[in-house]
Amino acid sequence: MILKGGRKVDFDWLLDMAAGVSWAELQSIILNPKNFISLAISTEELEVIWESHLKDQTPLQYLISKCPWRDIELEVSADALIPRQETEFLIDFALKKVTNIDFGRWADLGTGSGPIAISLAKSLPDWNGHASDISKEALEIAKRNLKSIVPNANVIFSLGDWWGPLKRWRGSFDLVLSNPPYIPSNLIEELDPVVKNHEPLIALDGGADGMNASRKIILGALDGLAKGGWLILEHHYDQSERIISFMKNIGMKDVSFEKDLSGIKRYAICRRN
Ligand code: GLN
């Protein structure tokens, strides 16, 4: 099959995720063209998916309704952002902060399809978990993902804006994570069509300076977190200084940042006093 202008790396991804052909298998038939590999779906089906991706740039993840993330595979749809690789790190930082807590309470604010919540549920099986989202449709996907990946997990899903639906548990959270929308509104137009024409704007657009949701989440953490509880946020590539100052100015302690794989300050961390 020919790529017809698409990217080989995307086609290889599709072969792997939809047809079950790993990159290593692919190399082996390139080296030994007589070798035989079997596809989990027909070449016609592959072609249909690839053509519709090329036609209007629909992300392959939406076309095949799945996306790998850390060690799990999530159902995804256009009702929620496609989980990003850089967000995988949030889990590593979080787990390091709470090694001494056996039974705590975590929350994932704006869970989308649920990657953060599901990873926390897997890694902290004795904790109580909460996932909120303002989109009913996203919450349904997250619930299905949790059910299929960590069926016995103790997670409460709540519909609403950031801390809004979690008032009942105010002051009891030991760990809160979020990957909020953080792209400044005027930059949305410049995003790749694969993102801006297909992913939910509500999960990307962070208002004039991109930090509307982040500020709400940080302010809410003042009384939402338990004393000493941790907040870990992902943010845009140039927001580190502003987010860190905001955390310090409102009285959070142990404020720090972490970098992503490209060396960009991408995560802000603080603790309730
Ligand atoms: N990192 C995402 C992107 O660049 C944005 C995610 C977000 O706003 N939280 O498309």
Side-chain angles (χ1 to χ4, degrees), residues 81 84 86 179-183 191 195 199 203-205 234 236 266:
L81 197 78
R84 302 292 201 268
E86 62 261 31
N179 170 27
Y182 53 62
I183 299 181
L191 297 176
V195 175
E199 297 199 79
L204 294 163
D205 188 342
E234 182 178 317
H236 210 24
R266 172 73 69 180

Side-chain angles (χ1 to χ4, degrees), residues 11-231:
F11 189 71
D12 288 354
W13 187 92
L14 179 63
L15 269 180
D16 186 0
M17 290 302 297
V21 179
S22 69
W23 187 83
E25 265 182 293
L26 207 55
Q27 298 315 302
S28 82
I29 48 160
I30 292 170
L31 291 173
N32 304 295
K34 283 194 200 123
N35 281 6
F36 181 79
I37 51 166
S38 58
L39 304 179
I41 62 171
S42 69
T43 49
E44 288 77 18
E45 283 171 291
L46 269 179
E47 193 137 12
V48 169
I49 299 170
W50 190 243
E51 295 279 351
S52 65
H53 167 64
L54 294 183
K55 191 169 92 239
D56 61 4
Q57 305 280 301
T58 307
L60 289 169
Q61 291 92 333
Y62 287 161
L63 290 170
I64 64 166
S65 306
K66 55 188 184 181
C67 177
W69 196 82
R70 286 179 70 90
D71 57 347
I72 56 181
E73 189 177 287
L74 296 148
E75 174 196 332
V76 293
S77 85
D79 289 317
L81 197 78
I82 296 167
R84 302 292 201 268
Q85 227 180 346
E86 62 261 31
T87 309
E88 297 185 355
F89 272 167
L90 279 184
I91 307 296
D92 300 283
F93 302 134
L95 296 179
K96 272 190 219 148
K97 296 295 184 200
V98 299
T99 44
N100 58 341
I101 307 179
D102 293 330
F103 309 101
R105 186 182 300 280
W106 59 257
D108 170 19
L109 308 184
T111 193
S113 62
I116 295 174
I118 289 157
S119 295
L120 290 178
K122 260 187 98 175
S123 304
L124 302 170
D126 296 325
W127 284 48
N128 290 304
H130 296 258
S132 73
D133 205 287
I134 198 157
S135 156
K136 202 162 151 264
E137 291 75 22
L139 222 46
E140 290 306 318
I141 303 172
K143 281 183 197 168
R144 280 202 295 279
N145 276 324
L146 182 81
K147 203 163 178 205
S148 65
I149 300 168
V150 205
N152 299 318
N154 190 10
V155 178
I156 297 175
F157 289 89
S158 308
L159 182 65
D161 204 16
W162 314 122
W163 289 96
L166 303 179
K167 291 202 177 85
R168 210 184 321 163
W169 299 277
R170 186 156 53 193
S172 71
F173 292 93
D174 304 286
L175 175 66
V176 171
L177 304 192
S178 185
N179 170 27
Y182 53 62
I183 299 181
S185 304
N186 64 340
L187 297 182
I188 297 286
E189 218 15 68
E190 290 168 28
L191 297 176
D192 198 313
V194 77
V195 175
K196 77 171 178 205
N197 295 345
H198 299 282
E199 297 199 79
L201 194 61
I202 193 175
L204 294 163
D205 188 342
D209 66 356
M211 301 193 299
N212 283 358
S214 307
R215 275 186 295 265
K216 276 190 201 161
I217 292 169
I218 299 166
L219 281 172
L222 274 177
D223 63 352
L225 289 172
K227 284 195 190 315
W230 293 95
L231 172 67

